[in-house]
Structures are given as structure tokens and as C-alpha cells.
Amino acid sequence: MSKKKQGKLPALAVLSTMAFAGLFMSSAQAATIDNAQLRDVTIASTANNATINFNGTTSVTGNVQVNAQATLGGNSINPLQNANVVLNTTSLTANIPLGNNVTATQQVTVGGSQGGPNVIVKTAAPAADKITVTNNNSPASDTVVVTGLTSGDIIKVYNGATGGSSIGTATAGSNGTATITIQQLGTATGSVWVTRKQGNYEESARVEKAYSAENSLTNAVTAVEGKIDALPAVTALVLADKTAVNEAKAAYDTLTIEQKAQVAAGKVTKLNDAVAKIAALEATTADQATAAPVKESIAALPAKAEVTLNDKPAVTSARAAYTALTATQKALVGDITKLTDAEEAIATLEATTADQAAAAPVKESIAALPAKAEVKLNDKPAVTSARAAYTALTNAQKALVGDITKLADAEAAIAALEAAAVDQAAAAPVKESIAALPAKADVTLANKTAVTNARAAYMALTNAQKALVGDITKLTDAEAAIAALEAAAVDQAAAALVKASIAALSAKAEVTLNDKPAVTSARAAYTALTATQKALVGDITKLADAEAAIAALEAAAAVDQATAALVKESIAALPAKAEVTLNDKPAVTSARAAYTALTNAQKALVGDITKLADAEAAIAALEAAAVDQAAADPVKVSIAALPAKADVTLANKTAVTNARAAYTALTATQKALVGDITKLTDAEAAIAALEAAAAVDQAAAALVKESIAALSAKADVTLANKTAVTNARAAYMALTNAQKALVGDITKLTDAEAAIAALEAAAALNDNKITEANQALAAHTEGTGVDQAAKADRDALGAAIATAQGVYDARATKTAAELSAATASLNDALTTFNDAVITEAEATPTTLTIDNKNAGSTANTTITLDNATGETLNLVGEDDEIATVSVDNDTGEVTVTSVDDGTYTLTVQVMKGGKVVRTVDVTVTVSNQILL
């Protein structure tokens, strides 16, 4: 009798099961599987040293998860060839082939007859949530960072799901992280595919990871900073770094003003210093190239002792080339002694030749002069020319001319001839002027000038010249006559002066004391005359009359003197100017009134009234000072009332301004009385600083206020607005408290932040729900077994996941309500799916045994049904060669009737609406059948 064996193993592994659909081993058991078609096999981490033997035609088409040390054996031929074997353990004994799709999540040793080189192990793929792709703004490179790795893991990045070569690779470090740098992924969104290779395992399957579009602001700044950071220290720069420096500078120059402001100041300084250093290095190289040929041309010159005039072009050329260099290039040339030596040698050689040429004609001109005894005044031009030519020579040239005695003799002869001619010329006109004078008896004072001139001309002559003039008696006679005439003229002049002074006196009746000096002077002058001169004056009655009148006037003046004395005393009694007070004003006023009442003659007798004038000035000053003090005091008080500089606020501006205006209105004297105004100037400086700060605060606040005003209304906010919201918040937080106060209400910002938070929460909830739904879909495979689900239910959940995923992928433009709606819809679909997952039915009992009974004997089990919902029973796996089965859908009773010895597993399904909702396996065993 042939027997068909088919079924499913219960949750705990069992031995020698004939046929089942899945195996889960949770403890160290040994399981033998004969001729079964398995979907999944799992060895839990708690099943260390478990053994599974696959015998006969057994094969696995699903996943084989090995999470503990285990042994896989049996006599089946390649039972795992269609399975996905995942090794999450450090050790495995394989006595059967593991197939062609083996993945290891860690280093594992595979032993056994089919282990070692017989096994091709593929590395476990990296988890997508451990992959981060950063799409930096061009031209900065992009990065792919993978974490959660083992040191030494090789990570590769591809631009497609299949085919092509990798676009980047990296090895994980001791921190379990690998960073792959890619020149550019592109500006738009996209995906990369990442693999992992561990040790000698095969490269893993490719895992897709999506990335966002470039951020045109932050990434560009990061890229530029990265280029700057990559540059060597400025002190270590060489010309080979020029390209890197230029690239960094070019990248910085392409930034906007806003982006440049975000580059760290230290990095900008480093870049600028690097650019300057490269320029300096290039300049040094250029200087070296310029200096080298000059240095060579100097080195090629002959030694000083060997220089000839033929070397002059080379020396001149070297000097011109050196002169054309910059100071830096000259320093690179170094010592130029050889050049200066050559120049000196050339100069010496040229000087010697020139001296010979200069000396020769001078020597010839001296030789051509006549002997001293033969020299005439006509020879003077030749002598003078020879001397001028000789004088113009250098000492070296003069030495070449030699003896110049002939020149000196000729000069002496010319001088003697010229001296004799000069004396004769000087004496002749003097002799003529004396001869022209009149005889002594004829001399008058009119001849005095001629006589004086003749004497002066004679006295100016030398003795030799005077001898040539001869007798001067006529001159001395004229001088004596002039002296006599002048003496008579003096008496006449003296008498005339006195006579005129007497004639000028007032008539007696008109004489005043003011005439006394003139009268006294006239008397004194007359008394001083000689008798001869007095006789020439004549009558002096007018003088005597005037003297009598003066005497009479002086008697009257005594009265004036007494009156003036009283006033003089009152003035003298006044205090000194420095001691005058306002209490002295009556005395000063009285003295002035008394003085004013005097006659002019009496005022003259009082004399100097400076003390009175000083006292009056002092009184005026004191009265003015009182006025000034009265003006200065309130200003001083207003300044003193100002707050200290540190306490000044803009509320004090009016007081400060008023104090300044009041101070400015004062005179210089009144300002001096106010004294130190530091407190005022400090307050003004504080006000200016506060106003400047207020202007800065206003400008800073205005920008932030505008950025907040530009935000979308709360109901319109999407995740696309997050950058603007974040930037607005950052700008606001960077303000001072004063600036924040100027910004005012930031409800729009907080509303936008709340909206973003809600959107992110909704997006995260949506993403979590998608993950939860995907996990449910993966956990409940298609089928009719326990924990499985029908295809239609899985498809419905899959469609709901796709819809939610679409909303999530577009979350940047979705509202929180749309995200929440998508999440709620998916949650409903997930609930529906979970409700549709097949559960294990309640059966009492689950084992039906008919032992040692007649054929046709029965055994019963009861399945719990909900008749109200229309649940019915369906049988799967009935083997009517062993026992037939019947059901009662009203009571849920299942009856088996024995046919022949044997065992099989009967699957009883609870159906509702045409779908399996619950299922249970019932073991049917017929033994020791009594055949009739």
C-alpha cells in the first residue's frame, strides 16, 4: 500500500518527523526531516549545538536562519540549493552542501565534510538605516558613510542596482565606520547602491539608499572649508601646492556674500595667507631666475689687476644689469666686489689717459711765454690763459706739466707792470683836484666840498702814489680858510637859535605855567652863550617878562596843589587792585567824583591815577564775576545731576542735550567757573554709543523680523519650509535681548516651529507605521498556515503601504493632516491585515488514536466555531487509506473512521467568507487495526 506523507511540524522541533512545512528550533535538539518540502528553517540563538538531518527528498525553498553553533547533515542531495542560508553564528558544521546563496553576518568557521572551500559565503548586506549619503553642493565632493561595521569591512558604492563598476570604495576603521568620498553625485535627488565585503567572503547584495538634492548654501560652505582644511600649514606650503591653493581660492570666490560670511574667519585667513605665500614663492623663483645671469656676468669679469679698457663694455653691461634689479634680486646676487673692483680699475685707466691729454697743451702754453725781463702788459692774456688752464688741471695732471717757474715769473712781471700803472693813474686826478682849488684868500664855505673831496682822495692814496702827487700846500691853505669861516658861522648859528627861542616865547600877558619849560630853556641857552654870541642875540626883554609872569603863576598854583593833594590822598588810600572788594565801591566812586571835579591844572597835580582806574576795573570785574557766577551755577548743577556714564540711558538724552545747550550759551569766563565737564562729555559719549548700538540693534532686528514675517502661515507650513524656519530661529537666538525686544511678537515663528515639529512627528509616525506594516507583511507570508495570510490580504496591505510610502516620500510638501491621514489609513489597513492573519484553531484533542480496534472505529475532536458569523470547517491532508474524515459545521465536531494502520496529519481549517481564518493540525494514528 502506498502512503502519501505531507504536513507541517509544530512550533517545537521534533525527531523523525515524516513531513512538515517549517521548522523552528529553540533549544539544543536533534531533528531528522524525511522527504519534506520546507519553506523556512530557524535555529534560534538559544539552540546552541543543535543538529538537523535532512533525509531523502527533503528540500528547503525559503530562509535558513542559523543563529547558534549547529550541525547540518543527512542524506538528502543538496537540500538547501534553493534556500537563502543566513549564518549569524561563529561556527557551523556542514555535512551537506549549503547551496549557492550563503550569507554571513559575521566571521564564521564552516567545518564538516561540506565546509571550508566547499562553501562560498556572501557577506551580509549593510543595513539601510546605517547608511548616510551627503549630497554636498558642487564643486565639493559627496560622501557615503556606513556605520555598524566590523573593522576591515570593505564597502563599495554603485550607481545602479545591477551591473557597472563601483563609484567609490572604503575600508571600515576600528570605529566600525567607512567613509566613501565621491566627486559628485549630482544636484538632484537620487539613489546609490551599497555593498559590504567581510574578510574572504563574497561581496554582499546591493542595498539601495536614497539621497536628497544638494543644499546650495550649507554644502557649498562646507566644501570650501574642506578644501581650505586640506591645505598644508602656510609655513609648509611649496609651489607644488599652488593648484590646491588656487582651487580653494576659486571655490571661495564662487560663494555668495552670504556663504562667504559663513566660512570660518580662521579658514579665510589661512586661505589668504596661502595665496600670499604661493605668490611670494613664485616671486622668489622669478627673482632667482633674474638674478642668476647678473651674478654670472659679474663672476666672468677679470680680476682687478687684470682689467684693461677693453673690458669696459662688459663691466658697464654688468653694472647696468645689476642696477636694473630689485632690492630682493640684488640680495640674491650677493657680493659684487668684483664688479666694483673692475669699475675702479677702468676709472683709473681712463683717468691716466685723460690726464696726459689734459697736461700736454698746458705745458706747451707755459713754454711759449716770454722770459721775465721781456714780459709786457700785452702778454697778460697769454699769461692769464696759461694760469687758468693750469689751475683747471687735477693734481695728477699738474704733476705731468712739471716746472711752472716761467709762468710764475711772467705773472710777477705782469703784476709789477700793472702796479706802476695803477699808482700813476691814481695820483694824477688827485694832483689835478688840488691844483683846481682857489687861493687861500679866495676860499669860501662854498668850496668846502671840493676841499674835503681833495683831502679824501689824497688820503686814499698809497705813499708811493702820494709821492707822485707832490706839494699839497694849496690844499692845506684851503682847509685852514674853511675852518676859520666855519667858526664864525658857529657863533652866528648859536646866537640865532637862542634869539629864535626868545622870540618864540609868549607875550607876558599870555604866559602860563605850561610855558615855564620853554622860558627856563631859553634862559639856560642864553646863559651858555659866549659874550660874542650874546652880543649877536641882542635885546632879551621878552625873556625877562616871561620869567616874571611864570613867578606870578606859580604862586597861584600852590592853591591848586592843596586841592589836588586831597584827591591824591583819597586815591592813594584805595586798596591794591588785587585786594579790592565790592565793599570798596563807595570809596572808589567818591574818589572818582572828587577827581572829576578838579580843574585840568589840579588833575595834572594829582598825577598818575592808575590806582583809581585799577580799583574801578576791579569793581567792574567783581560785579561781572558775580553775574558770571550766577550764570554758571545752574549749569554746574545740571551737569552734576547727570547720571554716571555707566548708568546713562537714552531716557537721559534730553537732560544731557539741555545741559550741553546751557553750557554752550555761557561765555568763556562762565564756562571756566563751571569747571570740569567730564561728566557731561561722558554722558554725551554714552548717549552716542547707545544711539549707535540702538541703530545696530534696529538693523539686526529688522532682518530677523523680515525673515519671520516671510514664513508661511501655520496652516500652510510644510517640511520644505524647515530650513527657513530653522534659519529664522537661529537668527533670532543670535540677537541680544534688546534686539529681540525690537523684533517683537514671534508667534509666527513659534507657530511654524510647532508646525514643523508636528510634521516631523507625523512623518516619523508615518515612517514607523510603514516599517511596522512591512514587518507584518514579511512576518506573515502568503499561505493557509498559522501566521500566514491570504494573497488578497497581503496585496491589500502592500497597496496601503505603497500609498503611505508615496505620501512619506513627498513629506516635504505635505501637511501634518495629510501625513496623519496617510498614517491612519495605513494603520486601518494594518489592523485589517492583522485580523486576517490565520491563527491556530482550538481543537480538543489534537491527537486522534484508534488502537487495537476494528476497522471502521471512530475518534472525535471538536473545533470551536462561531456559527453566528458563518464559520465552517475545511479539511486538508486527509489520507483516506488510513482513515476517512467527516465534519459537523454546526457543532464543529470532526470524526475520523479507521481504514488501515498508519499515521498522517490532518489540517482542519476554519473558513469564513471563503477565507481560512484559523487552522489546526490533528495527528491521526491507526494502529493494530483489526480487520474483519
Side-chain angles (χ1 to χ4, degrees):
M1 180 184 295
S2 64
K3 295 186 179 180
K4 180 180 179 184
K5 298 186 173 57
Q6 180 178 339
K8 178 183 178 184
L9 192 70
L12 289 177
V14 298
L15 300 175
S16 303
T17 303
M18 295 175 62
F20 48 90
L23 174 62
F24 180 91
M25 300 190 68
S26 60
S27 60
Q29 298 176 337
T32 299
I33 307 171
D34 296 329
N35 305 315
Q37 301 297 315
L38 287 82
R39 179 170 179 82
D40 298 311
V41 174
T42 301
I43 300 176
S45 60
T46 56
N48 220 20
N49 298 318
T51 299
I52 301 177
N53 290 313
F54 301 89
N55 293 332
T57 60
T58 298
S59 65
V60 182
T61 58
N63 297 317
V64 177
Q65 291 275 351
V66 182
N67 298 320
Q69 295 181 14
T71 298
L72 302 181
N75 57 25
S76 293
I77 298 174
N78 207 2
L80 305 180
Q81 63 180 340
N82 295 318
N84 294 318
V85 180
V86 179
L87 304 180
N88 190 23
T89 180
T90 59
S91 177
L92 174 69
T93 300
N95 294 321
I96 57 172
L98 296 181
N100 298 321
N101 194 13
V102 181
T103 300
T105 61
Q106 57 184 301
Q107 289 293 324
V108 58
T109 300
V110 181
S113 62
Q114 294 298 318
N118 295 314
V119 181
I120 298 176
V121 180
K122 183 180 291 186
T123 308
D129 61 357
K130 300 295 184 182
I131 303 171
T132 302
V133 183
T134 302
N135 188 10
N136 291 316
N137 205 43
S138 178
S141 298
D142 301 328
T143 59
V144 178
V145 179
V146 184
T147 59
L149 304 174
T150 301
S151 178
D153 286 357
I154 298 172
I155 300 298
K156 290 186 177 181
V157 180
Y158 296 85
N159 57 9
T162 58
S165 57
S166 69
I167 59 175
T169 184
T171 302
S174 59
N175 62 351
T177 299
T179 301
I180 302 92
T181 301
I182 301 167
Q183 186 171 0
Q184 265 294 303
L185 290 171
T187 59
T189 58
S191 293
V192 293
W193 283 262
V194 183
T195 67
R196 173 189 183 195
K197 185 178 186 307
Q198 191 174 64
N200 56 1
Y201 294 161
E202 293 292 308
E203 185 177 4
S204 73
R206 299 183 184 184
V207 175
E208 183 179 8
K209 185 67 177 183
Y211 57 81
S212 303
E214 291 181 349
N215 183 315
S216 61
L217 179 62
T218 305
N219 288 346
V221 172
T222 302
V224 170
E225 289 187 336
K227 286 182 179 290
I228 295 173
D229 288 340
L231 297 177
V234 174
T235 54
L237 281 172
V238 296
L239 278 176
D241 300 311
K242 179 180 178 180
T243 299
V245 173
N246 287 345
E247 288 177 355
K249 184 67 167 67
Y252 178 78
D253 289 342
T254 61
L255 296 179
T256 65
I257 293 175
E258 181 183 6
Q259 290 169 333
K260 287 179 179 177
Q262 290 193 17
V263 179
K267 298 183 190 298
V268 175
T269 299
K270 181 180 179 182
L271 175 58
N272 291 335
D273 289 347
V275 171
K277 179 65 178 291
I278 291 297
L281 290 172
E282 289 180 325
T284 299
T285 302
D287 289 340
Q288 290 281 12
T290 304
V294 178
K295 191 170 186 176
E296 292 170 4
S297 68
I298 293 173
L301 296 176
K304 185 174 184 179
E306 299 171 0
V307 172
T308 69
L309 287 175
N310 292 332
D311 298 311
K312 183 176 181 180
V315 174
T316 303
S317 175
R319 167 58 70 183
Y322 181 77
T323 301
L325 298 178
T326 65
T328 301
Q329 294 165 346
K330 287 177 180 176
L332 294 172
V333 171
D335 183 27
I336 60 166
T337 301
K338 198 169 188 182
L339 172 59
T340 56
D341 284 348
E343 288 174 326
E344 290 175 3
I346 293 292
T348 300
L349 290 170
E350 289 180 329
T352 300
T353 302
D355 288 346
Q356 291 284 4
V362 176
K363 191 170 185 178
E364 292 172 1
S365 68
I366 293 173
L369 296 176
K372 182 175 183 180
E374 300 172 359
V375 172
K376 300 182 181 62
L377 284 175
N378 293 336
D379 299 313
K380 182 176 180 179
V383 174
T384 302
S385 175
R387 169 57 71 183
Y390 181 77
T391 301
L393 298 178
T394 64
N395 290 335
Q397 294 166 347
K398 289 176 180 176
L400 293 172
V401 172
D403 182 26
I404 61 167
T405 302
K406 195 172 187 180
L407 172 59
D409 286 347
E411 287 175 327
I414 291 294
L417 290 170
E418 286 182 331
V422 167
D423 286 345
Q424 191 63 49
V430 174
K431 191 172 184 176
E432 292 173 0
S433 66
I434 293 174
L437 295 175
K440 184 176 183 180
D442 300 326
V443 171
T444 68
L445 286 175
N447 302 123
K448 182 176 180 178
T449 300
V451 173
T452 301
N453 290 342
R455 168 55 73 182
Y458 181 77
M459 296 308 294
L461 298 177
T462 63
N463 290 335
Q465 293 167 346
K466 288 177 179 176
L468 292 172
V469 172
D471 181 28
I472 61 166
T473 302
K474 198 171 187 180
L475 172 60
T476 56
D477 285 348
E479 287 174 330
I482 291 295
L485 290 170
E486 286 182 332
V490 167
D491 287 341
Q492 191 64 48
L497 289 174
V498 173
K499 193 172 185 176
S501 67
I502 293 172
L505 296 176
S506 300
K508 183 177 183 180
E510 299 172 359
V511 171
T512 68
L513 285 176
N514 291 333
D515 296 317
K516 183 175 181 178
V519 173
T520 302
S521 175
R523 171 56 73 182
Y526 180 78
T527 302
L529 295 178
T530 64
T532 302
Q533 294 168 341
K534 288 178 181 177
L536 292 171
V537 172
D539 183 24
I540 60 168
T541 301
K542 196 172 188 179
L543 172 61
D545 287 346
E547 287 173 328
I550 289 296
L553 288 171
E554 284 181 335
V559 175
D560 289 339
Q561 190 67 48
T563 303
L566 293 174
V567 175
K568 193 169 185 176
E569 289 172 5
S570 69
I571 292 174
L574 295 176
K577 185 177 183 178
E579 300 170 1
V580 172
T581 68
L582 287 175
N583 293 331
D584 298 311
K585 183 175 181 180
V588 173
T589 302
S590 175
R592 168 56 71 183
Y595 180 77
T596 302
L598 296 178
T599 64
N600 290 336
Q602 293 167 343
K603 288 179 181 176
L605 292 171
V606 172
D608 183 24
I609 61 166
T610 301
K611 195 172 189 182
L612 172 59
D614 284 347
E616 289 175 325
I619 292 296
L622 289 170
E623 290 178 331
V627 172
D628 288 340
Q629 192 67 52
D633 286 345
V635 177
K636 191 170 185 177
V637 170
S638 67
I639 293 174
L642 296 177
K645 185 175 183 179
D647 301 327
V648 172
T649 67
L650 286 175
N652 304 122
K653 182 176 180 179
T654 299
V656 173
T657 303
N658 290 342
R660 168 57 71 182
Y663 181 78
T664 301
L666 297 179
T667 64
T669 301
Q670 294 165 348
K671 288 178 180 176
L673 292 171
V674 172
D676 182 26
I677 60 166
T678 300
K679 198 170 189 183
L680 173 58
T681 54
D682 283 349
E684 288 174 326
I687 291 294
L690 289 170
E691 287 180 332
V696 171
D697 288 346
Q698 195 65 49
L703 292 176
V704 175
K705 194 168 185 176
E706 289 171 7
S707 68
I708 293 174
L711 298 177
S712 301
K714 184 174 183 179
D716 300 327
V717 172
T718 67
L719 286 175
N721 304 124
K722 182 176 180 179
T723 299
V725 174
T726 303
N727 290 343
R729 169 56 71 180
Y732 181 77
M733 295 309 295
L735 298 179
T736 64
N737 289 337
Q739 293 167 346
K740 288 177 181 175
L742 293 171
V743 172
D745 182 27
I746 59 167
T747 301
K748 195 170 188 182
L749 172 59
T750 54
D751 284 349
E753 289 174 325
I756 292 293
L759 285 166
E760 289 180 329
L765 183 62
N766 182 258
D767 188 34
N768 292 338
K769 188 56 68 176
I770 290 171
T771 301
E772 183 183 349
N774 278 320
Q775 289 173 343
L777 200 60
H780 304 298
T781 57
E782 181 182 337
T784 58
V786 174
D787 283 339
Q788 289 186 313
K791 182 177 184 302
D793 293 325
R794 284 175 52 81
D795 288 347
L797 180 58
I801 292 172
T803 299
Q805 186 67 52
V807 174
Y808 179 76
D809 290 343
R811 61 189 177 279
T813 60
K814 298 298 182 182
T815 64
E818 289 172 325
L819 287 167
S820 297
T823 303
S825 179
L826 179 58
N827 187 62
D828 292 343
L830 179 58
T831 300
T832 301
F833 177 77
N834 287 334
D835 290 343
V837 172
I838 299 170
T839 59
E840 187 169 11
E842 295 181 9
T844 307
T846 57
T847 300
L848 299 177
T849 302
I850 303 174
D851 182 37
N852 198 25
K853 290 187 178 181
N854 296 329
S857 298
T858 62
N860 300 315
T861 185
T862 300
I863 310 300
T864 301
L865 292 176
D866 184 355
N867 298 112
T869 60
E871 290 184 344
T872 60
L873 296 178
N874 180 52
L875 302 178
V876 179
E878 177 185 3
D879 190 342
D880 54 8
E881 294 180 357
I882 298 172
T884 60
V885 185
S886 62
V887 299
D888 184 340
N889 285 321
D890 292 329
T891 63
E893 188 173 71
V894 177
T895 302
V896 297
T897 302
S898 64
V899 175
D900 197 358
D901 287 353
T903 299
Y904 70 88
T905 299
L906 174 67
T907 298
V908 182
Q909 299 174 333
V910 178
M911 309 293 291
K912 183 169 68 175
K915 295 196 304 181
V916 178
V917 295
R918 294 190 301 283
T919 185
V920 64
D921 289 339
V922 178
T923 302
V924 178
T925 301
V926 178
S927 59
N928 302 314
Q929 178 79 20
I930 300 173
L931 300 176
L932 298 177

